[in-house]
Amino acid sequence: MKFKQVKRFLALGVIAAMIISAAGCGNATNTADTSAVQESTDGTDAQEPAAEKTEITVAKDAETAPTVNGLDDELCSWTTGGTDASAKGGDDYSFTPVIYINEGAYDAEKSVAGETEAVTDTETSNLALTVEKEAVNGIMVNQSDYTISDSVITIAAADADGSATCDFSGLGAAIAVYGDSDLTVKNTEINADGVANLALFTDSGASALLDSVTLHSDGGTLYENYVNSPDQTTMVAPPWILGIMGTSRGTNLEGDDSTMTVIDSDTSASNWAVLSTDAGSNMYLNVVNTDMTLTGTDDPMQADGAFDTENPYTKRTGYGTYAIGDAQETFLGTRMNVGTYATIFTGGTGYYGNLKAGESYDLKAADGSTHYTYTAESDEQTVINSDTFGFMAHQGTNEVTIDGAVVNSEYTDFLIKSGNDTTINVQNGAQLHAGNGILLQLMDNDDSTTDFDAENMAFGKIHEEYEGFPTEAVSVEAEESDDAGLRDVLVGGGQEADLEAPADAENAAEGENAPDGEGGPDGEGGPEGGMMPAATGPNYSTYNVTDTDLTGSIYNGIGWKANDLSDGKVRQMYLDVNLSGTSTLNGAIASTSVIHATYDGEQYLKENGITAFDNDEEAAAFAQQYQNTSFSQAEYFDIGQVANLVKSNGLNDINVTLADSAVWTVSDTSLIKSLSISGDAQVVVEDSVTLTVDGTAYEAGTYTAADFQ
């Protein structure tokens, strides 16, 4: 890996300390002290002294007062947060910036730091800024072009419990940029400690470039009796029905037409999210030659122990990125190590490709211009390692392209849940490794079988389903549920609200988009906002494999009536599987019935190499011992963990097409609606295996285009 190592500047050089003991509207009392420290990052004597750093510290007990109103000054794109200071969470838009850059100038009167030579109208460099007080921002930039370099920016408010910070408005962020701004952060370390304290917040059409940056968000412990909710006015942790929990998002990209590009950097968060998008549209995220890591934490999740149950799948629950509101996300030569998902899709596009030495890549901004041109010094492959799943899609229209990249997941590579249209393109020798042998799993959205508490704006705390594999299909004529009326509650919705918009089948994602040295993919889609609406089908998803060899199975378990709560909330999902070029697939493709399985059940399936049952009696015996008929929000990690029984309900059809010289080796029981073969493509059914196509069974043998005219 070749990227510039970022030094920990606090351990280097001669530091001039300015301790902020009291401040209000710039009336700070500054006390100077000097000391000399010479150390290298490995603890030996430094060979060369670093440049002097100006240290600004806002103590935990410092007297400060808000100086910037994010609503009145129209900084924030998200405007539905709490503004009543007497309410829990206080005012999400009352900012107290240590350094405030506004309309191209440093505003000393509104900055806790007051007059200081360390800050100019266009740049800050060699700064060591530490904020120990909760809900105080480090550096805020609005309507300005600005550069931060060779600095350390730290929010050290470990006691922040989410009651006074907000990562939808940027309140408490180390760095926040708004409006028509172009921010560059270079050779800098950014740290954020405490619930909902972001390392970087980008909003309202701003653009941010992180170049050779080390960034970490550590989170903290949620306040007692926090209600886990998709309601953004109070949300400081993800809704449990996403299958994740946490208190730290490293960055958040929000608003219409905002852009963030991260190059040659090291980004991490303890849990929840490394790099997030939320509550906006047409956001562009570019990540190049960068590490993205979830680290986990020993901190209690919530003060009252609501989430103390140990997650058996991972110690670092959360995702690498979220794609919402037609977000366009491009990853080139990126190394991602996560606990639950690489990316959650709810209306966005993700391209995962590689870097080739000597080639240049134009990384696009939201307005279509080139935000940054990156020239690769070496070949770098995008490699994703997940302790649980690879990807998950649960709303909107999505497109995912895995172009020569590597995806290693301990369980299913890709989950597609009812209520969205998703196209997955796997091409150019991509390597997909699913620990449980399932490349793609379609399933009814777990939301549909979890009730919703409208009074408290929260999903129910218990998921329940009937015993045994379901045999009854959801009625496609089901009337809308009362919950559909909640659609208007969170108009414009944010990522964690799990909002489903009615799908337009004619606009389902199709084709493939990949940068050829000219930037990332284009795409359309994204939810309109809302909450657990009624029926949203039919939906259409596509799995395209081009010039790639895959081993694993593909299952469509959509449209089953798991319990009465699902009426009207899940519909049919049709899946097309297309193999072309020199592609090979060794595995099953089948319509299935699904149930949730316990952790022990998932281990049983993995250890015995079972991706699906094809015998009702064996399936029933498994369900009796391992079905997870009821689990609470404390067991959020059971979301998405299912077992399959080969079975069609008429709502989960699969159409398979093979072209060119593609070969599908049917190594386990398969059940599909249609099969089309052209060119020199073949279907090879192994001994003792059955392939059923629209009711016709095909035993062991090799089948070509002539057999399916």
Side-chain angles (χ1 to χ4, degrees), residues 189-347:
E189 181 179 342
I190 314 169
N191 298 291
D193 204 357
V195 175
N197 283 336
L198 295 159
L200 175 69
F201 182 69
T202 306
D203 191 17
S204 303
S207 65
L209 170 66
L210 303 183
D211 181 356
S212 304
V213 166
T214 295
L215 173 157
H216 181 69
S217 176
D218 212 33
T221 299
L222 291 162
Y223 60 83
E224 187 175 1
N225 297 322
Y226 169 74
V227 177
N228 186 258
S229 172
D231 184 357
Q232 297 168 2
T233 61
T234 61
M235 189 176 75
V236 285
W240 71 277
I241 47 80
L242 286 178
I244 60 174
M245 194 43 57
T247 60
S248 60
R249 289 194 274 187
T251 68
N252 201 10
L253 181 64
E254 277 191 3
D256 297 341
D257 307 320
S258 302
T259 302
M260 184 169 73
T261 297
V262 186
I263 63 173
D264 296 345
S265 293
D266 189 347
T267 63
S268 61
S270 62
N271 49 30
W272 187 351
V274 182
L275 308 176
S276 183
T277 61
D278 208 335
S281 65
N282 191 43
M283 297 165 284
Y284 273 61
L285 172 65
N286 306 299
V287 185
V288 183
N289 193 32
T290 288
D291 288 333
M292 297 176 57
T293 306
L294 284 171
T295 61
T297 180
D298 293 328
D299 291 338
M301 194 74 68
Q302 190 163 324
D304 54 14
F307 293 96
D308 281 356
T309 304
E310 183 177 357
N311 184 334
Y313 293 99
T314 182
K315 303 298 183 184
R316 48 182 184 173
T317 174
Y319 58 80
T321 68
Y322 208 100
I324 191 174
D326 196 21
Q328 314 290 306
E329 301 187 356
T330 300
F331 305 86
L332 300 171
T334 298
R335 298 155 293 275
M336 194 183 304
N337 294 281
V338 295
T340 314
Y341 313 102
T343 301
I344 296 179
F345 288 90
T346 179

Side-chain angles (χ1 to χ4, degrees), residues 397 421 503-510 524-525:
T397 300
D421 302 283
D504 181 353
E506 295 181 359
N507 292 328
E510 59 184 41
E524 297 182 357

